[in-house]
Amino acid sequence: AAAGRAQVVGHEPGGGGRGDGGAAVGRREDGPDDLLTRPDNAPQRLQVPTADGARLNVEVYGDPDGPGADDTGYVIVMVHGWTCNTAYWYPQINHLAASEGGSRRVVTYDQRGHGGSERGHRRPTVAMLGEDLDAVLEAAVPPGRRAILVGHSMGGMTIMSWAAQYPEKVGS
């Protein structure tokens, strides 16, 4: 196959009963999609303290002086799910904030007990995760800027908890 072109692999004679002629559709011989790689621009790293003293690993992507850095641009804050970490969001970061993609400011963080974030001394609750998100927003979203919140699985629960606890901070 030509370099850079997808090639069908895994063909089974007789089709293997899948109805697709045995082709493993979508598999690439040349490796994973480039968007899955670590972003080419290193993030600004913050250690954000929570109400109970745990420290959260926060990563801020995007050129602080670039087109997405004006006083009115939205900051995209991505909240991962259970057993994930900031790497879960690499495809979105690469599309929205990396040099080959867009110029948006993107904030990701490891939820407590995940990735580079501490678990803390108390048993985590959904309410605590909402409080943690508020600490991240206060530390990583500049005053006067608005955030677009994106959540996956437990990250969605975290956002809903934050919104219920801080309704005055939720906009339309």
Coordinates of all heavy atoms in Angstrom, one line a residue, residues 43-114:
P43 N 1.8 22.2 27.2 CA 0.8 23.1 28.0 C 1.5 23.9 29.1 O 2.6 23.5 29.5 CB -0.1 22.0 28.6 CG 0.8 20.9 28.9 CD 1.7 20.8 27.7
Q44 N 0.8 24.9 29.5 CA 1.1 25.5 30.8 C 0.6 24.6 31.9 O -0.6 24.3 31.8 CB 0.5 26.9 30.9 CG 0.7 27.6 32.2 CD -0.1 28.9 32.4 OE1 -1.0 29.2 31.5 NE2 0.1 29.6 33.4
R45 N 1.3 24.2 32.8 CA 0.9 23.3 33.9 C 0.7 24.1 35.2 O 1.5 24.9 35.6 CB 1.9 22.2 34.1 CG 2.0 21.3 32.9 CD 2.9 20.1 33.2 NE 3.1 19.3 32.0 CZ 2.3 18.4 31.5 NH1 1.2 18.2 32.1 NH2 2.6 17.8 30.4
L46 N -0.5 23.8 35.8 CA -0.8 24.5 37.1 C -1.1 23.3 38.1 O -1.6 22.3 37.7 CB -2.1 25.3 36.9 CG -2.2 26.4 35.8 CD1 -3.6 27.0 35.8 CD2 -1.1 27.4 36.1
Q47 N -0.8 23.6 39.3 CA -1.2 22.7 40.4 C -2.3 23.5 41.2 O -1.9 24.5 41.9 CB 0.0 22.4 41.3 CG 1.0 21.4 40.6 CD 0.4 20.0 40.5 OE1 -0.2 19.4 41.4 NE2 0.4 19.5 39.2
V48 N -3.5 23.1 41.1 CA -4.6 23.9 41.7 C -5.0 23.2 43.0 O -5.4 22.0 43.0 CB -5.8 24.0 40.7 CG1 -7.0 24.6 41.4 CG2 -5.4 24.7 39.5
P49 N -5.0 23.9 44.1 CA -5.4 23.3 45.4 C -6.9 23.3 45.5 O -7.6 24.2 45.0 CB -4.8 24.3 46.4 CG -4.7 25.6 45.7 CD -4.4 25.3 44.3
T50 N -7.4 22.2 46.1 CA -8.9 22.1 46.3 C -9.2 22.5 47.7 O -8.3 22.8 48.5 CB -9.3 20.6 46.1 OG1 -8.7 19.8 47.1 CG2 -8.9 20.2 44.7
A51 N -10.5 22.5 48.0 CA -11.0 22.9 49.4 C -10.4 22.1 50.5 O -10.1 22.6 51.6 CB -12.5 22.9 49.4
D52 N -10.1 20.8 50.2 CA -9.6 19.9 51.2 C -8.1 19.7 51.1 O -7.5 18.9 51.8 CB -10.3 18.5 51.2 CG -9.9 17.7 50.0 OD1 -9.5 18.3 48.9 OD2 -10.0 16.5 50.0
G53 N -7.4 20.5 50.3 CA -6.0 20.5 50.2 C -5.4 19.6 49.1 O -4.1 19.7 48.9
A54 N -6.2 18.8 48.5 CA -5.6 18.0 47.4 C -5.2 18.9 46.2 O -5.7 20.0 46.1 CB -6.7 17.0 46.9
R55 N -4.2 18.5 45.5 CA -3.7 19.3 44.4 C -4.1 18.6 43.1 O -3.9 17.5 42.9 CB -2.2 19.5 44.5 CG -1.8 20.3 45.7 CD -0.4 20.6 45.8 NE 0.2 21.9 45.6 CZ -0.4 23.1 45.7 NH1 -1.6 23.2 45.8 NH2 0.3 24.2 45.5
L56 N -4.7 19.5 42.2 CA -5.1 19.0 40.9 C -4.2 19.4 39.8 O -3.7 20.5 39.7 CB -6.5 19.5 40.5 CG -7.6 19.2 41.5 CD1 -8.9 19.8 41.1 CD2 -7.8 17.7 41.7
N57 N -3.8 18.4 38.9 CA -3.0 18.7 37.7 C -3.9 19.3 36.7 O -4.8 18.7 36.2 CB -2.4 17.4 37.2 CG -1.6 17.6 35.9 OD1 -0.7 18.5 35.8 ND2 -2.0 16.9 34.9
V58 N -3.5 20.6 36.3 CA -4.3 21.3 35.3 C -3.3 21.7 34.1 O -2.2 22.1 34.3 CB -4.9 22.6 35.8 CG1 -5.7 23.4 34.8 CG2 -5.8 22.3 37.0
E59 N -3.8 21.5 32.9 CA -3.0 21.8 31.7 C -3.8 22.8 30.8 O -5.0 22.6 30.5 CB -2.7 20.5 30.9 CG -1.9 19.5 31.7 CD -1.7 18.2 31.0 OE1 -2.2 18.0 29.8 OE2 -1.0 17.3 31.5
V60 N -3.1 23.9 30.5 CA -3.7 24.9 29.7 C -3.0 25.0 28.3 O -1.8 25.2 28.3 CB -3.6 26.3 30.4 CG1 -4.3 27.4 29.5 CG2 -4.2 26.2 31.8
Y61 N -3.7 24.8 27.2 CA -3.2 24.7 25.9 C -3.6 26.0 25.1 O -4.7 26.6 25.4 CB -3.7 23.5 25.1 CG -3.1 22.2 25.7 CD1 -3.7 21.5 26.7 CD2 -1.9 21.7 25.1 CE1 -3.2 20.3 27.1 CE2 -1.4 20.5 25.6 CZ -2.1 19.8 26.6 OH -1.6 18.6 27.1
G62 N -2.8 26.3 24.1 CA -3.1 27.5 23.3 C -2.2 28.6 23.6 O -1.8 28.8 24.7
D63 N -2.0 29.4 22.5 CA -1.1 30.6 22.6 C -1.8 31.6 23.4 O -2.9 32.1 23.0 CB -0.8 31.0 21.2 CG 0.2 32.2 21.2 OD1 0.5 32.8 22.3 OD2 0.5 32.7 20.1
P64 N -1.2 32.0 24.6 CA -1.9 33.1 25.4 C -2.1 34.4 24.7 O -2.9 35.2 25.0 CB -1.1 33.2 26.6 CG 0.2 32.6 26.3 CD 0.0 31.6 25.2
D65 N -1.2 34.6 23.6 CA -1.3 35.9 22.9 C -1.9 35.7 21.5 O -1.9 36.6 20.7 CB 0.1 36.5 22.7 CG 0.7 36.8 24.1 OD1 0.0 37.3 25.0 OD2 1.9 36.5 24.3
G66 N -2.4 34.5 21.2 CA -2.9 34.1 19.9 C -4.4 34.7 19.7 O -4.9 35.3 20.6
P67 N -5.0 34.4 18.5 CA -6.3 34.9 18.2 C -7.4 34.4 19.2 O -8.4 35.1 19.3 CB -6.6 34.3 16.8 CG -5.3 33.7 16.3 CD -4.4 33.6 17.5
G68 N -7.2 33.3 19.8 CA -8.2 32.9 20.8 C -8.0 33.4 22.2 O -8.7 33.1 23.1
A69 N -7.1 34.4 22.3 CA -6.7 34.9 23.6 C -7.3 36.3 23.9 O -7.0 36.9 24.9 CB -5.2 34.9 23.8
D70 N -8.2 36.7 23.1 CA -8.7 38.1 23.3 C -9.6 38.0 24.6 O -9.9 37.0 25.2 CB -9.5 38.6 22.1 CG -10.7 37.7 21.7 OD1 -11.3 37.1 22.6 OD2 -11.0 37.7 20.6
D71 N -10.0 39.2 25.0 CA -10.8 39.3 26.3 C -12.2 38.7 26.2 O -12.8 38.5 27.2 CB -10.9 40.8 26.7 CG -9.6 41.4 27.1 OD1 -8.7 40.6 27.5 OD2 -9.4 42.6 27.1
T72 N -12.7 38.4 25.0 CA -14.0 37.9 24.9 C -14.1 36.5 24.4 O -15.2 35.9 24.4 CB -14.9 38.8 23.9 OG1 -14.2 38.8 22.7 CG2 -15.0 40.2 24.4
G73 N -13.0 35.9 24.0 CA -13.0 34.5 23.5 C -13.3 33.5 24.6 O -12.9 33.7 25.8
Y74 N -14.0 32.5 24.2 CA -14.4 31.4 25.2 C -13.2 30.5 25.4 O -12.4 30.3 24.5 CB -15.5 30.6 24.6 CG -16.8 31.3 24.6 CD1 -17.3 31.8 23.4 CD2 -17.6 31.5 25.7 CE1 -18.5 32.5 23.3 CE2 -18.8 32.2 25.7 CZ -19.3 32.7 24.4 OH -20.4 33.3 24.4
V75 N -13.1 30.1 26.7 CA -12.1 29.1 27.0 C -12.8 27.7 27.1 O -13.9 27.6 27.7 CB -11.5 29.4 28.4 CG1 -10.5 28.3 28.9 CG2 -10.8 30.8 28.4
I76 N -12.3 26.7 26.4 CA -12.9 25.4 26.5 C -12.3 24.6 27.6 O -11.1 24.4 27.6 CB -12.7 24.7 25.1 CG1 -13.4 25.6 24.0 CG2 -13.4 23.3 25.2 CD1 -13.0 25.1 22.6
V77 N -13.1 24.2 28.5 CA -12.7 23.4 29.7 C -13.2 22.0 29.5 O -14.5 21.8 29.5 CB -13.1 24.0 31.0 CG1 -12.7 23.2 32.2 CG2 -12.6 25.5 31.1
M78 N -12.3 21.0 29.5 CA -12.7 19.6 29.3 C -12.5 18.8 30.5 O -11.4 18.8 31.1 CB -12.0 19.0 28.1 CG -12.2 19.8 26.8 SD -11.4 19.1 25.4 CE -12.2 19.9 24.1
V79 N -13.6 18.0 30.9 CA -13.6 17.3 32.2 C -13.7 15.8 31.8 O -14.8 15.4 31.3 CB -14.7 17.8 33.1 CG1 -14.6 17.1 34.5 CG2 -14.8 19.3 33.2
H80 N -12.7 15.0 32.1 CA -12.7 13.6 31.7 C -13.6 12.7 32.6 O -14.0 13.1 33.7 CB -11.3 13.0 31.6 CG -10.6 12.9 33.0 ND1 -10.9 11.9 33.9 CD2 -9.6 13.6 33.5 CE1 -10.2 12.1 35.0 NE2 -9.3 13.1 34.7
G81 N -13.7 11.5 32.2 CA -14.5 10.5 32.9 C -13.7 9.6 33.8 O -12.5 9.7 33.9
W82 N -14.4 8.7 34.5 CA -13.8 7.7 35.4 C -12.7 6.9 34.7 O -12.8 6.5 33.6 CB -14.9 6.8 35.8 CG -14.5 5.7 36.8 CD1 -14.4 4.4 36.6 CD2 -14.2 5.9 38.2 NE1 -14.0 3.7 37.7 CE2 -13.9 4.6 38.7 CE3 -14.1 7.0 39.0 CZ2 -13.5 4.4 40.0 CZ3 -13.7 6.8 40.3 CH2 -13.4 5.5 40.8
T83 N -11.6 6.8 35.4 CA -10.3 6.1 35.0 C -9.6 6.7 33.8 O -8.7 6.1 33.3 CB -10.6 4.6 34.7 OG1 -11.3 4.4 33.5 CG2 -11.3 3.9 35.8
C84 N -10.0 7.9 33.4 CA -9.3 8.6 32.3 C -8.3 9.6 32.9 O -8.2 9.8 34.1 CB -10.3 9.3 31.4 SG -11.4 8.2 30.6
N85 N -7.7 10.4 32.1 CA -6.8 11.5 32.5 C -6.8 12.5 31.3 O -7.5 12.4 30.4 CB -5.4 11.0 32.9 CG -4.7 10.3 31.8 OD1 -4.9 10.6 30.6 ND2 -3.8 9.4 32.1
T86 N -5.9 13.5 31.4 CA -5.9 14.6 30.4 C -5.6 14.0 29.0 O -6.1 14.6 28.0 CB -4.9 15.7 30.8 OG1 -3.6 15.1 30.9 CG2 -5.3 16.4 32.1
A87 N -4.9 12.9 28.9 CA -4.6 12.4 27.6 C -5.9 12.0 26.8 O -5.9 11.9 25.6 CB -3.7 11.2 27.7
Y88 N -7.0 11.7 27.5 CA -8.2 11.4 26.9 C -8.6 12.4 25.8 O -9.2 12.1 24.8 CB -9.3 11.2 27.9 CG -10.7 11.0 27.3 CD1 -11.1 9.7 27.0 CD2 -11.6 12.0 27.1 CE1 -12.3 9.4 26.4 CE2 -12.8 11.7 26.6 CZ -13.2 10.4 26.2 OH -14.4 10.2 25.7
W89 N -8.3 13.7 26.1 CA -8.7 14.8 25.3 C -7.7 15.2 24.2 O -7.9 16.2 23.5 CB -9.0 16.0 26.2 CG -10.1 15.8 27.2 CD1 -9.9 15.7 28.5 CD2 -11.5 15.7 26.9 NE1 -11.2 15.5 29.1 CE2 -12.1 15.5 28.1 CE3 -12.2 15.7 25.7 CZ2 -13.5 15.3 28.2 CZ3 -13.6 15.5 25.8 CH2 -14.2 15.3 27.0
Y90 N -6.6 14.4 24.0 CA -5.6 14.8 23.0 C -6.2 15.0 21.6 O -5.9 16.0 20.9 CB -4.5 13.7 22.9 CG -3.5 13.8 24.0 CD1 -2.5 12.8 24.0 CD2 -3.5 14.8 24.9 CE1 -1.6 12.8 25.0 CE2 -2.5 14.8 25.9 CZ -1.6 13.8 26.0 OH -0.6 13.8 27.0
P91 N -7.2 14.2 21.1 CA -7.7 14.5 19.8 C -8.4 15.9 19.7 O -8.2 16.7 18.7 CB -8.7 13.4 19.5 CG -8.2 12.3 20.3 CD -7.7 12.9 21.6
Q92 N -9.1 16.3 20.8 CA -9.8 17.6 20.8 C -8.8 18.7 20.9 O -8.9 19.7 20.3 CB -10.8 17.6 21.9 CG -12.0 16.7 21.6 CD -11.7 15.2 21.9 OE1 -10.8 14.9 22.6 NE2 -12.6 14.4 21.4
I93 N -7.8 18.5 21.8 CA -6.7 19.5 22.0 C -6.0 19.7 20.7 O -5.8 20.9 20.2 CB -5.7 19.1 23.1 CG1 -6.4 19.1 24.4 CG2 -4.5 20.0 23.1 CD1 -5.7 18.3 25.5
N94 N -5.6 18.6 20.0 CA -4.9 18.8 18.7 C -5.7 19.5 17.7 O -5.2 20.2 16.8 CB -4.5 17.4 18.2 CG -3.2 16.9 18.9 OD1 -2.4 17.6 19.2 ND2 -3.2 15.6 19.2
H95 N -7.0 19.3 17.7 CA -7.9 20.0 16.7 C -8.1 21.5 17.1 O -8.1 22.3 16.2 CB -9.2 19.3 16.6 CG -10.2 20.0 15.6 ND1 -10.0 19.9 14.3 CD2 -11.2 20.7 15.9 CE1 -10.9 20.6 13.7 NE2 -11.7 21.1 14.6
L96 N -8.3 21.7 18.4 CA -8.7 23.1 18.8 C -7.6 24.0 19.2 O -7.7 25.2 19.0 CB -9.7 23.0 20.0 CG -11.0 22.3 19.8 CD1 -11.7 21.9 21.1 CD2 -11.9 23.1 18.9
A97 N -6.5 23.5 19.7 CA -5.4 24.3 20.2 C -4.0 24.1 19.6 O -3.2 24.9 19.8 CB -5.4 24.2 21.7
A98 N -3.8 23.0 19.0 CA -2.4 22.7 18.5 C -2.1 23.6 17.3 O -3.0 24.1 16.7 CB -2.3 21.2 18.2
S99 N -0.8 23.6 17.1 CA -0.3 24.5 16.0 C -0.9 24.1 14.6 O -1.1 24.9 13.8 CB 1.2 24.5 15.9 OG 1.7 23.2 15.6
E100 N -1.2 22.8 14.4 CA -1.8 22.3 13.2 C -3.3 22.5 13.1 O -3.9 22.4 12.1 CB -1.4 20.9 12.9 CG 0.1 20.6 12.7 CD 0.6 21.4 11.5 OE1 0.0 21.4 10.5 OE2 1.7 21.9 11.6
G101 N -3.9 22.8 14.3 CA -5.3 22.9 14.3 C -5.7 24.4 14.6 O -5.3 25.2 13.8
G102 N -6.5 24.6 15.6 CA -7.1 25.9 15.8 C -6.2 26.7 16.8 O -5.1 26.3 17.1
S103 N -6.8 27.8 17.3 CA -6.1 28.7 18.2 C -6.8 28.9 19.5 O -6.6 29.9 20.2 CB -5.9 30.0 17.5 OG -7.1 30.5 17.1
R104 N -7.7 28.0 19.8 CA -8.5 28.1 21.0 C -7.7 27.8 22.3 O -6.7 27.1 22.3 CB -9.7 27.1 21.0 CG -10.7 27.3 20.0 CD -11.5 28.5 20.4 NE -12.7 28.5 19.5 CZ -13.8 29.2 19.8 NH1 -13.8 29.9 20.9 NH2 -14.8 29.2 19.0
R105 N -8.1 28.5 23.4 CA -7.6 28.2 24.7 C -8.3 27.0 25.2 O -9.6 27.0 25.2 CB -7.7 29.3 25.6 CG -6.9 30.5 25.3 CD -5.5 30.4 25.5 NE -5.2 30.5 26.9 CZ -4.1 30.2 27.5 NH1 -3.1 29.8 26.8 NH2 -3.9 30.3 28.8
V106 N -7.6 25.9 25.6 CA -8.3 24.7 26.0 C -7.6 24.3 27.4 O -6.4 24.3 27.5 CB -8.1 23.5 25.0 CG1 -8.6 22.2 25.6 CG2 -8.7 23.8 23.7
V107 N -8.5 24.0 28.4 CA -8.1 23.7 29.7 C -8.5 22.2 29.9 O -9.7 21.9 29.7 CB -8.7 24.6 30.8 CG1 -8.3 24.1 32.2 CG2 -8.2 26.0 30.6
T108 N -7.6 21.4 30.4 CA -8.0 20.0 30.8 C -7.4 19.8 32.2 O -6.4 20.5 32.6 CB -7.4 18.9 29.9 OG1 -6.0 19.0 29.9 CG2 -7.9 19.1 28.4
Y109 N -7.9 18.9 32.9 CA -7.3 18.6 34.2 C -7.6 17.2 34.6 O -8.6 16.6 34.1 CB -7.8 19.6 35.3 CG -9.3 19.4 35.8 CD1 -9.6 18.7 36.9 CD2 -10.3 19.9 35.0 CE1 -10.9 18.5 37.4 CE2 -11.6 19.8 35.5 CZ -11.9 19.1 36.6 OH -13.2 18.9 37.0
D110 N -6.8 16.6 35.4 CA -7.0 15.3 36.0 C -7.9 15.4 37.2 O -7.6 16.1 38.1 CB -5.6 14.7 36.4 CG -4.7 14.3 35.2 OD1 -5.3 13.9 34.2 OD2 -3.5 14.5 35.3
Q111 N -9.0 14.7 37.1 CA -9.9 14.7 38.3 C -9.1 14.1 39.5 O -8.2 13.3 39.3 CB -11.2 13.9 38.0 CG -12.0 14.6 36.9 CD -13.4 14.8 37.3 OE1 -13.8 15.2 38.3 NE2 -14.3 14.4 36.4
R112 N -9.6 14.4 40.7 CA -8.8 13.9 41.8 C -8.7 12.3 41.8 O -9.6 11.6 41.4 CB -9.5 14.3 43.1 CG -10.9 13.8 43.4 CD -11.4 14.2 44.8 NE -11.3 15.6 45.1 CZ -10.7 16.1 46.2 NH1 -10.2 15.3 47.1 NH2 -10.7 17.4 46.4
G113 N -7.5 11.9 42.1 CA -7.2 10.4 42.1 C -6.9 9.9 40.7 O -6.7 8.7 40.6
H114 N -6.8 10.7 39.7 CA -6.6 10.3 38.3 C -5.3 11.1 37.8 O -5.1 12.2 38.2 CB -7.7 10.7 37.4 CG -9.0 9.9 37.7 ND1 -9.8 10.2 38.8 CD2 -9.6 8.9 37.0 CE1 -10.8 9.3 38.8 NE2 -10.7 8.5 37.7

